[in-house]
Amino acid sequence: MKRLVLVRREQPLRGGQPLSFLIGLVVALLAGILLLVASGHNPIEIYERLFNSSVGSSNAWAKTLNRAVPLGLAGLAVAVAGSMGLWNIGAEGQILAGAMMAAWIAQIGEGWASPLLIPLMLIASILGGALLASGPGIARAQIGVNEIITTLMLNEVALRLLQWLIHGPWKDPESRGFPLAPLLADEARLPKLFGRAHWGVIIAFLVIAFFGFIVSRTTWGYELKVAGSSGATARYAGISLNKKIITVMVLSGGIAGLAGGIELSGTSDRIVEGVSGGYGFAGIIVAALALMRPSGVAAVALIFGAVQVGGLSIQTLGVSSSVSTILQALILFGAIGAGVFNRYSLKSVKREKKGGST
Amino acid sequence: MTSDSPLAIELVDIWKRFPGVVANAGATLSVKKGTIHAVLGENGAGKSTLMNILSGVYRPDEGQVRINGEQHWFHSPSDALASGIGMVHQEFRLVPSFTVAENIVLGASEKIIRRSFIEKEVEQIAQQFGLAIDPTRPVWQLSMGERQRVEILKTLWRKAQILILDEPTAVLTPAEADELGNVLRKIAEDGRTVVFISHKLHEVTAFCDEATVLRGGKTVASSLKVEEVNESDLAGLMVGSSPMISERPPYQEPGEAMLTIEGLGTLDDRFLPAVKNLNLTIKSGEIVGIAGVSGNGQREMAQAIAGLRPITSGKVTISGKDLTNAPPSERFTAGLGYVPEDRLGVGLAPRLTVTENAILRSYKNLRKSIFLVSEQAVNYCKEIIERFGVRTGPIDEPIAGLSGGNLQRLLVGRELSGNPKVVLAAQPTRGLDIQGVKAIQDLLIDERTEGAAVLLISEDLDELLTLSDRLLVMHEGEIVKEFDPTTAHRHDIGAAMAGKRDES
């Protein structure tokens, strides 16, 4: 009997990324045909809509880009921590913290001009996320508390705080009983870039490029990578870990907080319970698919965003949300997950016969 | 136990290869039924691999496994257990929140667990062999010695006729170790067979009937009667000869003292004293070798000198500069090149590229404000590759693809690239192929010629005898004797390694 195993390539394939992307996408779409036919849909019609609604027009691109912004920033937050081997599972809560801080500044600064108000809101959102992540960072550095647990638990804290605000002090008197904060004033909204795409696209791109550059080109980023590869090696090289752990967690939280500020100011326009949109958790997937490299996050987030937008759109053609989600997952993992073959090759080996003594 | 007891275990000409390493190269082992048999060897001699083959964890590439005269081909540890072979691993495999009895039954193919019945059975076996333990106690409450008893009970309860214990005394206090010896004796007297892996010689002579010595994956001495050998002979066998390639460098007059260690003390991972009041001076242009059975403080001494382990007493000076409390990076700048024993876990960062690893010690000199200048880094890396003959793929790919020998060349080259005053090399040639061994040894000789002070810690006695100008033997954290390598006898060195002190 034969079976297939993944064998690590001695050297990764050079320039295999675009090819594996295309092959993976085609395989995923072919598998998707089976799924769609089995669930009683016309695959051609569905795929046409999937494509048109996500990248087929400038309007579609605007939607995709707006979604890629929080995905990319949340992914960057996870990847920056991940470069040092830390897991920030709390991007979801940090997004909420950022959004709440931005909304608070928007209330304080009512009537201020946009060029003053919006930067202040975004800075506040960074501080909010950073503050929420600083606790886990300090606890990890000083007494070795696992940051996965603490960041995860703080998600709940941030969510409860937000619920209290929108059920209580921040509740919009005109919301007819719904737990919503009031709409932001026009001055507090991010200006549009084109169509519905807002300036957050530019901000997110710059932030991702900045961190990609910092991690790959500075001695600080180098130390980060050494520490992420092996703590013992970092000590041997004379890199002190504790200060770095705190800095990295604060930066990671700040990036996620910024995602919350941009999402509030650019897309949702008010604090509601779903303002974080699950982007904090999706960010973990984005970072993992980008192999924890900050520079790889933008491309993954863009694909992720397009697939999400397309997946929502095909639901208006009667595709159930579960079928749509399976299709999204297929495309995402097909297109990006196929990159694994750049580092591993498939090998068929003979299975040994089962049995005891001979 | 008589000499004509039937053989319980026969391992014949076992070969096992892992990528880049031959762990067993024709190892053999014959163990008589009803005896306690020691398997001796240094780290990396192939003991664990051989035992893992016997217990079904690995399958041999070549060779035969015969149990009670019958040939077997195990596919898994449970396969081996079905043939009566149980292994007690160094790391215990117990569930802390389960009771002793629950842990013992865990993994056995019992459909219905009759708790009180099993508890009674366990208690009975425990009593028979003197393994005092309460089967209803949860494991988290037990000491390490008691946990080990649970592991032994686990194999006995499953009717193992052959017990393999992998360095069982490593986690025990001396009193617990003696007690374990009594238990093993009772198990052997019951007609079962015990295989005892160790590198603590006094335990082997105290508990065991016969001993087999492995070195470099081969059996170098098979089924020696313990009564007929002494500890020095065994120590000599463990560290015997590997093919020597490098030649003894010509004598040169050593210069001024480069590395001075006064009254050094440090603790091991369990916070017990590992090095006690150690004094050592190494001069420019000499190689000082440290011999010793592993686990006698060599590793901790190296880490303390390198700044990776806190120094509890004493002083470390490099060419006049007191570095006792300096961080590792400051020691490097002061002229200490350190080749750690654990290459991939400490000396290199496996996920990073060749270039990133090459600059690990000097990246701070390759920057312009906050930026790492990549051309400088690449040039620095290329220099090391060229000067030290490292064979690599693309230098911007992770080092994971490099062979063991080339990883070590990269590491040693990086440490020597700053022209250090003192080179501290811990097991620099272990596990390398012949070419790699020669390359690294020649580099150390070159450093000596150029006037560096070299401290070489090795388990290869031939390497030490060939390279060293002075040879020191370490035992239980102290230097017990100094030899002149040109005149020393192996037997005397072996005796010193077994703890025989310098009388003079």
Side-chain angles (χ1 to χ4, degrees), chain A residues 119-134:
Chain A
L120 283 178
M121 285 169 66
L122 295 185
I123 289 166
S125 69
I126 293 171
L127 292 177
L131 188 71
L132 198 67
S134 62

Side-chain angles (χ1 to χ4, degrees), chain B residues 435-450:
Chain B
Q435 263 187 319
V437 170
K438 177 165 169 55
I440 301 297
Q441 288 177 342
D442 286 349
L443 287 175
L444 294 177
I445 293 171
D446 289 349
E447 284 301 308
R448 169 188 178 272
T449 313
E450 280 163 32

Side-chain angles (χ1 to χ4, degrees), chain A residues 11-12 14 213 217-219 222-223 225-226 228-230 232-233 235-237 239 352-353 355-358, chain B residues 59 72-73 75 79 328 338 345-346 348-352 356 359-361 363 370-372 396-397 414-415:
Chain A
Q11 297 293 344
R14 306 214 114 202
F213 184 76
R217 290 292 158 82
T218 64
T219 49
Y222 172 74
E223 290 176 348
K225 285 188 283 185
V226 174
S229 181
S230 152
T233 308
R235 271 195 300 282
Y236 168 84
I239 299 165
E352 282 172 62
K353 229 177 77 203
S357 55
T358 48
Chain B
R59 267 140 278 177
H72 283 258
W73 183 256
H75 290 269
D79 244 16
Y338 174 41
V346 176
L348 298 166
R351 279 194 273 154
L352 302 192
E356 285 167 332
I359 62 170
L360 193 67
R361 289 292 215 165
Y363 67 94
I370 60 163
F371 300 109
L372 200 58
D396 54 353
E397 293 289 353
R414 183 187 72 207
E415 294 303 310

Side-chain angles (χ1 to χ4, degrees), chain B residues 54-218:
Chain B
L54 178 57
S55 65
V57 178
Y58 296 149
R59 267 140 278 177
D61 297 336
E62 283 167 47
Q64 291 182 1
V65 177
R66 279 187 228 131
I67 305 300
N68 297 322
E70 205 180 307
Q71 195 175 331
H72 283 258
W73 183 256
F74 299 132
H75 290 269
S76 66
S78 52
D79 244 16
L81 194 60
S83 303
I85 300 173
M87 181 148 176
V88 175
H89 291 270
Q90 228 174 52
E91 308 285 327
F92 299 147
R93 289 150 194 218
L94 299 171
V95 183
S97 56
F98 280 17
T99 67
V100 171
E102 283 167 344
N103 267 290
I104 286 171
V105 79
L106 185 71
S109 50
E110 299 280 298
K111 291 282 181 297
I112 299 161
I113 298 173
R114 298 157 297 169
R115 184 187 295 269
S116 61
F117 181 73
I118 289 162
E119 282 170 2
K120 217 189 287 168
E121 267 188 350
V122 168
E123 194 141 18
Q124 207 179 343
I125 301 171
Q127 242 163 27
Q128 186 188 345
F129 296 105
L131 289 153
I133 202 141
D134 176 0
T136 61
R137 272 177 75 190
V139 161
W140 62 265
Q141 294 181 351
L142 305 180
S143 71
M144 286 317 242
E146 289 174 309
R147 288 179 199 205
Q148 187 172 63
R149 281 181 225 154
V150 179
E151 288 280 10
I152 295 172
L153 276 171
K154 208 155 96 179
T155 59
L156 291 173
W157 184 77
R158 291 179 197 180
K159 308 205 164 38
Q161 290 301 314
I162 295 169
L163 272 78
I164 308 166
L165 293 97
D166 191 359
E167 303 206 12
T169 55
V171 295
L172 301 183
T173 62
E176 283 178 323
D178 286 343
E179 210 176 311
L180 175 69
N182 296 333
V183 169
L184 297 183
R185 179 53 61 203
K186 280 185 188 149
I187 292 172
E189 278 166 2
D190 190 47
R192 302 178 204 235
T193 309
V194 178
V195 180
F196 184 93
I197 305 171
S198 181
H199 50 233
K200 289 189 190 162
L201 299 170
H202 62 273
E203 286 166 359
V204 171
T205 46
F207 306 157
C208 302
D209 301 310
E210 293 188 334
T212 291
V213 184
L214 296 184
R215 195 198 315 136
K218 290 190 192 72

Side-chain angles (χ1 to χ4, degrees), chain A residues 148-215:
Chain A
I148 300 178
I149 313 269
T150 46
T151 52
L152 183 64
M153 290 197 299
L154 283 176
N155 285 336
E156 199 68 9
V157 173
L159 180 64
R160 297 298 170 206
L161 179 66
L162 181 136
Q163 285 174 340
W164 172 70
L165 284 173
I166 58 177
H167 281 92
W170 284 7
K171 188 167 174 179
D172 184 358
E174 289 159 35
S175 71
R176 290 181 229 142
F178 287 106
L180 303 168
L183 277 171
L184 293 183
D186 284 344
E187 294 79 35
R189 296 190 192 180
L190 273 172
K192 298 289 181 263
L193 190 61
F194 70 90
R196 285 168 58 191
H198 53 70
W199 270 86
V201 176
I202 302 292
I203 300 170
F205 183 78
L206 290 177
V207 170
I208 292 171
F210 175 76
F211 276 96
F213 184 76
I214 289 283
V215 170

